Amino acid sequence: MSRTGHIQRKTKETDIQVQLNIDGQGHAQIQTGIGFFDHMLELLARHAAWDLRVQATGDLRVDQHHTVEDVGICVGQAIREALGTKEGISRYGYSVLPMEETLVTAAVDLGGRPYFVLLADFPSEKIGQFDTQLVHDFWQAVTNNALCNLHVLVHYGRSSHHIAEGIFKATARALRMAAQFDPRLPDLPSTKGVL
Ligand SMILES: [Mn+2]
């Protein structure tokens, strides 16, 4: 059984389609018009073992903010749709990931409430054409719409490219762990009976 989500969202600023299979094999087809962002979404799919298709056209003549944030909204909604009732999932996931000189920790709770913390200092404002501050905007939008807690700590790092890549890879692996089924706990992963 594959858990999938399919989101279409059109506003005056962006037109986005996201297709997600969280029980995939890491295949990605990504087109956002922002090269580095495509690279990050490909890494997300690969390290979360998701099959992910993102087709986005946005008002890039303004800047990259609407496109990146709205893709985050759609990816978050697709995660929530794919998780469904969440019965039998591990719910919690974490990863400590080295990326050359950079070390990142990510921790996730698919518990139904949004909360995002990112402790990261980017040495540069840009990676290629990509605004480094958009890393925060993307994951804030994902957590708000997937209804999960996400805490990401960049312990240290020199290269903004490595720091961004470490954040996406560590979060991807934490999401994969949290969404996996736990055969010993087949019910809802909560004593409250709801998530
Ligand atoms: Mn890279």
Side-chain angles (χ1 to χ4, degrees):
M1 179 197 78
S2 286
R3 294 170 290 172
T4 61
H6 186 188
I7 304 294
Q8 290 184 299
R9 185 178 184 274
K10 188 172 170 41
T11 69
K12 284 195 184 129
E13 295 163 345
T14 62
D15 185 357
I16 297 169
Q17 268 204 61
V18 169
Q19 280 175 275
L20 172 65
N21 176 359
I22 61 174
D23 299 309
Q25 297 178 320
H27 302 303
Q29 281 180 335
I30 313 287
Q31 270 190 332
T32 67
I34 307 168
F36 186 76
F37 190 40
D38 290 357
H39 176 38
M40 291 302 102
L41 294 173
E42 282 158 9
L43 289 173
L44 171 60
R46 183 75 187 169
H47 290 271
W50 294 349
D51 292 343
L52 178 65
R53 285 184 68 168
V54 177
Q55 179 68 46
T57 48
D59 55 356
L60 295 176
R61 63 181 167 73
V62 174
D63 68 3
Q64 300 165 339
H65 179 84
H66 297 139
T67 304
V68 172
E69 187 173 56
D70 292 359
V71 167
I73 291 170
C74 295
V75 168
Q77 290 174 347
I79 293 169
R80 195 162 88 199
E81 190 179 305
L83 287 170
T85 64
K86 299 179 187 171
E87 276 188 28
I89 66 166
S90 298
R91 175 178 166 178
Y92 293 96
Y94 53 86
S95 168
V96 182
L97 187 126
M99 178 66 221
E100 311 291 353
E101 85 296 337
T102 297
L103 186 68
V104 181
T105 293
V108 165
D109 173 13
L110 297 174
R113 292 180 303 277
Y115 204 94
F116 177 53
V117 175
L118 172 62
L119 300 181
D121 289 322
F122 286 95
S124 64
E125 282 186 12
K126 295 258 183 191
I127 305 166
Q129 298 305 309
F130 184 78
D131 296 332
T132 51
Q133 64 183 308
L134 294 174
V135 172
H136 191 287
D137 297 313
F138 173 75
W139 287 109
Q140 181 75 70
V142 171
T143 53
N144 284 351
N145 289 277
L147 301 183
C148 66
N149 292 177
L150 172 62
H151 293 247
V152 182
L153 288 75
V154 177
H155 301 280
Y156 41 76
R158 180 194 48 75
S159 152
S160 290
H161 189 121
H162 289 166
I163 291 167
E165 201 161 309
I167 291 168
F168 274 76
K169 286 178 176 176
T171 305
R173 288 177 173 268
L175 284 166
R176 179 180 176 184
M177 184 192 282
Q180 261 166 355
F181 290 113
D182 183 341
R184 290 184 54 197
L185 295 172
D187 306 320
L188 264 178
S190 165
T191 55
K192 295 198 304 288
V194 290
L195 269 186

